[in-house]
Amino acid sequence: MPVIVNGVELTDAEIEAALPDYQDDPNPLRAATTAWVVRRVLVDAADAAGIDCRDGEAAIDALLAREVKVPVPDEESCRRHYAQHRERFTVGELVEVDHILFQVTDHVDLTALTERAEAVLSEVQAEPARFAELAARYSNCPSGAQGGNLGQIRRGETVPEFERAVFALADGELMGRLLPTRFGLHIVRAAHREPGMLLPYEAVSKQIEDVLAAASRDAATRQYLKRLVGAARISGIDLPGAETPLVQ
């Protein structure tokens, strides 16, 4: 069934030309088709608004600039963001991390692996001085050869679930439970912490204003596109809630 937007049909040539841009998407064909639908809706809206559409991208930019109005974030909002996300404005914060990894693979018995990891964690809790010995014996990470030591980690250098856990530990603290990540189960200790320095609000206020403005612009653009898609005559594809990379 052909995809048609406001009387204009998506051609095979158009979809073939767009597909390479969406090869990393789980469903490249749907992603490319959805993007074409949204672009078609925007160009039609620009044309209806009297905007020169000979350059489609320029017309879309002009339309969005005209229709999507974003207020400048006030200082109260910026200071609240600063207070709620202090870690983002702290520089020089480091954690030296020790860990023991029990790797989860496709064919591993997860129950047995968890039981072994829990048993090793109990040993570490009972005798913290044996951490390096137990890491060398049990860890599936190359760091086991260094007693489980991963060295110093900065924010942004590891996967989010690991980062959140290790930066929440106090200096020298052993996490009291196993830490599950995409790699497996970890026993984690903050061997040493450097707290870093919180930048003053005045030094980051413009950065915060830009971040909040961008978030507001994205939200307003999503809402505008949903209205346009909802009002358009679209057949051949179902877009519940205007499902598109541009409005998610």
Side-chain angles (χ1 to χ4, degrees):
M1 182 177 181
V3 175
I4 302 174
V5 177
N6 296 333
V8 179
E9 182 176 339
L10 171 63
T11 67
D12 291 342
E14 287 173 317
I15 198 65
E16 287 175 8
L19 273 174
D21 294 333
Y22 299 93
Q23 289 307 304
D24 292 335
D25 191 274
N27 189 335
L29 178 59
R30 181 174 178 83
T33 303
T34 300
W36 180 87
V37 169
V38 172
R39 186 180 186 280
R40 184 70 255 169
V41 167
L42 285 166
V43 169
D44 288 348
D47 185 56
I51 297 172
D52 184 351
C53 292
R54 285 174 294 182
D55 182 337
E57 296 305 319
I60 290 171
D61 289 343
L63 176 71
L64 294 177
R66 177 189 298 183
E67 299 296 332
V68 179
K69 303 300 182 184
V70 181
V72 176
D74 58 27
E75 184 169 0
E76 181 181 355
S77 298
C78 291
R79 286 191 177 275
R80 183 166 57 248
H81 182 86
Y82 176 75
Q84 292 173 344
H85 302 284
R86 295 168 68 89
E87 73 282 356
R88 298 181 185 176
F89 311 109
T90 299
V91 295
E93 186 179 16
L94 300 170
V95 181
E96 184 179 344
V97 179
D98 296 332
H99 86 139
I100 302 173
L101 170 64
F102 298 85
Q103 188 174 17
V104 174
T105 58
D106 291 339
H107 304 294
V108 73
D109 182 333
L110 187 56
T111 299
L113 183 72
T114 302
E115 290 176 352
R116 183 163 77 252
E118 292 280 10
V120 176
L121 175 59
S122 294
E123 289 188 66
V124 174
Q125 290 171 325
E127 300 182 74
R130 296 184 61 209
F131 194 107
E133 170 201 336
L134 294 169
R137 183 185 306 173
Y138 292 108
S139 184
N140 298 128
C141 177
S143 65
Q146 287 78 48
N149 186 264
L150 288 173
Q152 293 182 330
I153 293 175
R154 294 177 175 83
R155 290 188 184 273
E157 291 185 342
T158 185
V159 295
E161 62 271 30
F162 193 83
E163 176 183 298
R164 284 193 298 270
V166 299
F167 278 90
L169 295 173
D171 196 355
E173 181 182 359
L174 173 71
M175 191 170 180
R177 60 175 177 81
L178 298 177
L179 171 62
T181 72
R182 65 197 69 182
F183 302 113
L185 304 171
H186 306 254
I187 297 171
V188 178
R189 179 174 67 185
H192 178 67
R193 286 201 61 153
E194 291 290 343
M197 179 186 70
L198 177 65
L199 295 173
Y201 170 76
E202 291 72 19
V204 295
S205 59
K206 183 60 169 64
Q207 174 188 341
I208 294 172
E209 181 180 313
D210 291 345
V211 167
L212 294 184
S216 296
R217 187 179 305 108
D218 288 346
T221 301
R222 287 196 298 270
Q223 291 303 314
Y224 177 63
L225 292 177
K226 285 180 181 180
R227 291 199 302 273
L228 289 183
V229 170
R233 292 177 287 110
I234 300 172
S235 61
I237 185 172
D238 182 24
L239 296 179
E243 174 198 340
T244 160
L246 290 177
V247 300
Q248 285 175 353

